[in-house]
Amino acid sequence: MRTETQFEGLPTGVEAEEARAGFVAVAMSGGVDSSTVAALLQEQARAVIGLTMQLWNQRRLPQLQGDGPAQHRCCSLDDVYDAKRVAQHLNFPHYVVNFEQQFEERVIRPFVDQYLSGRTPIACTNCNTDVKFEPLLRMARQIGAERLATGHYARIRRNDTTGRWELLRARDESKDQSYFLWGLTQEQLSKSEFPLGELTKDEVRAAARRVNLPVAEKPESMELCFVPNGNYVQFIEAYSLERGSPLSNTSGEIVNEDGDVVGRHNGVHNFTIGQRKGLGFAAGKPYYVLAIDREKNRVVVGDDESLRSVVCEVEGVNWISIARPDAAVRAAVKIRHKHVAAMATVEAIGEDRARVTFNEAQRAITAGQGAVFYGGERVLGGGWIGDGRKKNDADRSRH
């Protein structure tokens, strides 16, 4: 496989400028979506070059592999070969770029560290912001490609009035991936294309079949690329052991809201906010995880009503389609990918922080997840949900 510095076969010198003028690099995962993007761009008489990211050494953590590699994971070795097959079928150059170091530093380590701190992170958002776009756009420019196209279901447009690039929901709401893209910058949006944003999944499949793509019937990827067996907890434990910091003495108390001990746990990384099953103790009524206290190594449980909050604070906010507002704005806010966006007031409370006050209490607002602000079809901005149920309760009492 070629690494990120190996691009044999591309023209050089003055001829390169002419030969590569108008090139668009396609981020090819080996799935039907990104492969169809390449085919659609070719049909528009665009010059295409394929780039596939090598993100994770599949031979690492063999204890998690089981009898064979898990199916339907993105960015596996098979996906690399599938991307190569598509490029050969459509007859355009294809290269594998090695981003393993960036991926581990910017995605895997933060993922593990946040889980161990009691948060529930979103690896896909970090991957999009810190690996797929920033380094891949830089790589595309190095080989002469003017733009980067991906298989994301979202849309981009330029607002001629404000001069800003805007991120919009996909036309197919069931496939919309704008929730994972809130971290993109104006520069990244200006150089990116999402050709599937106007299409439904059925239309994408039909296009793939029409040009006989070898991956036209390939199932969708469902699991994280670096978790071979789909078990996050086992991955965190194996990865921690591999890097010389095995998890030990992680047991602690499970307490109710009054502080009474109702059970014990074997590590806070085994729990997420809102979890009901697998708590490890029996009770006469349903209990849900309300909070994870890493400092005291405790898991706090309670009833469903206590799981609901009106207010959360968001950090690392990136305002996309609008500039950071001076006054509070009304927006529909998603606190999870599958969450139905709920109306709220969003107030910027610093350079990169915001307070979100929902019209109605929302269930299981979880630290480490993304809160994404929508104004109609536009993504106004987004950020990471911060820690602290106490803050939520204090804010709720003031509203």
Side-chain angles (χ1 to χ4, degrees), residues 291-315:
I292 297 171
D293 187 339
R294 179 58 179 145
E295 291 185 2
K296 296 181 179 179
N297 196 28
R298 296 193 311 181
V299 176
V300 182
V301 297
D303 58 28
D304 183 74
E305 182 61 29
S306 297
L307 194 58
R308 301 172 186 274
S309 301
V310 170
V311 177
C312 68
E313 289 193 3
V314 184
E315 57 197 26

Short mmCIF file of all heavy atoms in Angstrom, two decimals, residues 291-315:
data_model
loop_
_atom_site.label_atom_id
_atom_site.label_comp_id
_atom_site.label_asym_id
_atom_site.label_seq_id
_atom_site.Cartn_x
_atom_site.Cartn_y
_atom_site.Cartn_z
N ALA A 291 -25.71 10.12 36.75
CA ALA A 291 -24.44 10.85 36.71
C ALA A 291 -23.30 9.89 36.97
O ALA A 291 -23.48 8.84 37.60
CB ALA A 291 -24.42 11.98 37.75
N ILE A 292 -22.12 10.26 36.47
CA ILE A 292 -20.91 9.49 36.70
C ILE A 292 -19.90 10.42 37.35
O ILE A 292 -19.47 11.40 36.75
CB ILE A 292 -20.35 8.93 35.37
CG1 ILE A 292 -21.37 7.96 34.75
CG2 ILE A 292 -19.02 8.22 35.60
CD1 ILE A 292 -21.02 7.51 33.35
N ASP A 293 -19.57 10.13 38.58
CA ASP A 293 -18.66 10.96 39.37
C ASP A 293 -17.29 10.32 39.36
O ASP A 293 -17.00 9.42 40.16
CB ASP A 293 -19.19 11.10 40.80
CG ASP A 293 -18.40 12.10 41.64
OD1 ASP A 293 -17.23 12.37 41.28
OD2 ASP A 293 -18.94 12.58 42.65
N ARG A 294 -16.43 10.78 38.45
CA ARG A 294 -15.12 10.15 38.31
C ARG A 294 -14.24 10.43 39.52
O ARG A 294 -13.47 9.55 39.96
CB ARG A 294 -14.44 10.68 37.03
CG ARG A 294 -13.05 10.12 36.78
CD ARG A 294 -13.07 8.61 36.70
NE ARG A 294 -11.75 8.05 36.44
CZ ARG A 294 -11.32 6.90 36.93
NH1 ARG A 294 -12.09 6.20 37.74
NH2 ARG A 294 -10.13 6.45 36.64
N GLU A 295 -14.33 11.61 40.08
CA GLU A 295 -13.46 11.96 41.22
C GLU A 295 -13.72 11.05 42.41
O GLU A 295 -12.79 10.61 43.09
CB GLU A 295 -13.69 13.42 41.62
CG GLU A 295 -13.17 14.42 40.57
CD GLU A 295 -13.30 15.85 41.05
OE1 GLU A 295 -13.76 16.04 42.21
OE2 GLU A 295 -12.96 16.77 40.29
N LYS A 296 -14.98 10.74 42.66
CA LYS A 296 -15.32 9.86 43.79
C LYS A 296 -15.50 8.41 43.33
O LYS A 296 -15.80 7.54 44.15
CB LYS A 296 -16.60 10.35 44.47
CG LYS A 296 -16.47 11.73 45.11
CD LYS A 296 -17.76 12.15 45.79
CE LYS A 296 -17.61 13.51 46.44
NZ LYS A 296 -18.89 13.95 47.10
N ASN A 297 -15.32 8.18 42.03
CA ASN A 297 -15.45 6.84 41.45
C ASN A 297 -16.81 6.24 41.80
O ASN A 297 -16.92 5.07 42.19
CB ASN A 297 -14.32 5.92 41.96
CG ASN A 297 -14.19 4.66 41.11
OD1 ASN A 297 -14.52 4.68 39.93
ND2 ASN A 297 -13.72 3.59 41.72
N ARG A 298 -17.85 7.06 41.61
CA ARG A 298 -19.20 6.61 41.93
C ARG A 298 -20.11 6.76 40.72
O ARG A 298 -19.92 7.65 39.88
CB ARG A 298 -19.79 7.43 43.08
CG ARG A 298 -19.08 7.28 44.41
CD ARG A 298 -19.90 7.84 45.55
NE ARG A 298 -20.40 9.18 45.27
CZ ARG A 298 -21.14 9.91 46.13
NH1 ARG A 298 -21.45 9.39 47.30
NH2 ARG A 298 -21.53 11.10 45.81
N VAL A 299 -21.11 5.91 40.67
CA VAL A 299 -22.18 5.99 39.69
C VAL A 299 -23.46 6.33 40.45
O VAL A 299 -23.80 5.65 41.41
CB VAL A 299 -22.34 4.68 38.91
CG1 VAL A 299 -23.53 4.76 37.95
CG2 VAL A 299 -21.07 4.35 38.14
N VAL A 300 -24.13 7.40 40.02
CA VAL A 300 -25.36 7.85 40.68
C VAL A 300 -26.55 7.39 39.86
O VAL A 300 -26.60 7.60 38.64
CB VAL A 300 -25.38 9.38 40.83
CG1 VAL A 300 -26.64 9.83 41.56
CG2 VAL A 300 -24.13 9.87 41.56
N VAL A 301 -27.50 6.75 40.52
CA VAL A 301 -28.69 6.25 39.83
C VAL A 301 -29.95 6.86 40.44
O VAL A 301 -29.95 7.34 41.57
CB VAL A 301 -28.77 4.70 39.89
CG1 VAL A 301 -27.57 4.08 39.18
CG2 VAL A 301 -28.84 4.21 41.34
N GLY A 302 -31.02 6.82 39.67
CA GLY A 302 -32.30 7.35 40.15
C GLY A 302 -33.41 7.00 39.18
O GLY A 302 -33.22 6.19 38.26
N ASP A 303 -34.56 7.64 39.37
CA ASP A 303 -35.70 7.31 38.51
C ASP A 303 -35.65 8.11 37.22
O ASP A 303 -34.81 9.00 37.04
CB ASP A 303 -37.02 7.53 39.25
CG ASP A 303 -37.19 8.96 39.75
OD1 ASP A 303 -36.62 9.89 39.14
OD2 ASP A 303 -37.89 9.15 40.76
N ASP A 304 -36.58 7.80 36.32
CA ASP A 304 -36.57 8.41 35.00
C ASP A 304 -36.78 9.91 35.06
O ASP A 304 -36.18 10.66 34.29
CB ASP A 304 -37.66 7.76 34.13
CG ASP A 304 -37.65 8.29 32.72
OD1 ASP A 304 -36.74 7.91 31.96
OD2 ASP A 304 -38.54 9.08 32.36
N GLU A 305 -37.60 10.38 35.96
CA GLU A 305 -37.87 11.81 36.06
C GLU A 305 -36.61 12.59 36.41
O GLU A 305 -36.38 13.70 35.90
CB GLU A 305 -38.96 12.06 37.12
CG GLU A 305 -39.34 13.53 37.27
CD GLU A 305 -39.92 14.14 35.99
OE1 GLU A 305 -40.53 13.38 35.20
OE2 GLU A 305 -39.76 15.36 35.78
N SER A 306 -35.77 12.00 37.24
CA SER A 306 -34.53 12.68 37.64
C SER A 306 -33.51 12.71 36.52
O SER A 306 -32.50 13.41 36.61
CB SER A 306 -33.93 11.97 38.86
OG SER A 306 -34.80 12.04 39.97
N LEU A 307 -33.77 11.95 35.47
CA LEU A 307 -32.86 11.89 34.33
C LEU A 307 -33.05 13.07 33.38
O LEU A 307 -32.27 13.28 32.47
CB LEU A 307 -33.09 10.57 33.59
CG LEU A 307 -32.08 10.10 32.55
CD1 LEU A 307 -30.70 9.94 33.17
CD2 LEU A 307 -32.54 8.76 31.96
N ARG A 308 -34.09 13.85 33.63
CA ARG A 308 -34.46 14.92 32.71
C ARG A 308 -33.96 16.28 33.21
O ARG A 308 -34.04 16.58 34.39
CB ARG A 308 -35.97 14.94 32.50
CG ARG A 308 -36.47 13.60 31.94
CD ARG A 308 -37.99 13.50 31.89
NE ARG A 308 -38.39 12.16 31.48
CZ ARG A 308 -38.51 11.77 30.22
NH1 ARG A 308 -38.30 12.63 29.24
NH2 ARG A 308 -38.87 10.53 29.92
N SER A 309 -33.45 17.07 32.26
CA SER A 309 -32.92 18.39 32.58
C SER A 309 -33.36 19.39 31.52
O SER A 309 -33.61 19.03 30.37
CB SER A 309 -31.39 18.38 32.66
OG SER A 309 -30.94 17.47 33.64
N VAL A 310 -33.43 20.63 31.92
CA VAL A 310 -33.83 21.71 31.01
C VAL A 310 -32.61 22.43 30.43
O VAL A 310 -32.65 22.89 29.30
CB VAL A 310 -34.75 22.71 31.75
CG1 VAL A 310 -34.98 23.96 30.91
CG2 VAL A 310 -36.08 22.05 32.09
N VAL A 311 -31.53 22.50 31.22
CA VAL A 311 -30.39 23.33 30.85
C VAL A 311 -29.13 22.49 30.73
O VAL A 311 -28.91 21.56 31.51
CB VAL A 311 -30.17 24.45 31.88
CG1 VAL A 311 -28.93 25.27 31.55
CG2 VAL A 311 -31.39 25.35 31.97
N CYS A 312 -28.31 22.82 29.74
CA CYS A 312 -26.96 22.26 29.70
C CYS A 312 -26.01 23.32 29.16
O CYS A 312 -26.43 24.25 28.45
CB CYS A 312 -26.89 21.00 28.83
SG CYS A 312 -27.15 21.26 27.07
N GLU A 313 -24.76 23.21 29.54
CA GLU A 313 -23.74 24.10 29.01
C GLU A 313 -22.90 23.34 28.00
O GLU A 313 -22.62 22.15 28.17
CB GLU A 313 -22.89 24.69 30.13
CG GLU A 313 -23.67 25.70 30.96
CD GLU A 313 -22.77 26.53 31.87
OE1 GLU A 313 -21.53 26.36 31.80
OE2 GLU A 313 -23.32 27.36 32.62
N VAL A 314 -22.51 24.04 26.95
CA VAL A 314 -21.81 23.43 25.83
C VAL A 314 -20.46 24.14 25.67
O VAL A 314 -20.37 25.36 25.76
CB VAL A 314 -22.64 23.57 24.53
CG1 VAL A 314 -21.96 22.86 23.37
CG2 VAL A 314 -24.05 23.01 24.76
N GLU A 315 -19.40 23.35 25.46
CA GLU A 315 -18.06 23.89 25.34
C GLU A 315 -17.48 23.58 23.96
O GLU A 315 -17.97 22.71 23.24
CB GLU A 315 -17.17 23.32 26.44
CG GLU A 315 -17.11 21.80 26.44
CD GLU A 315 -16.60 21.22 27.74
OE1 GLU A 315 -16.74 21.88 28.79
OE2 GLU A 315 -16.08 20.08 27.71
#
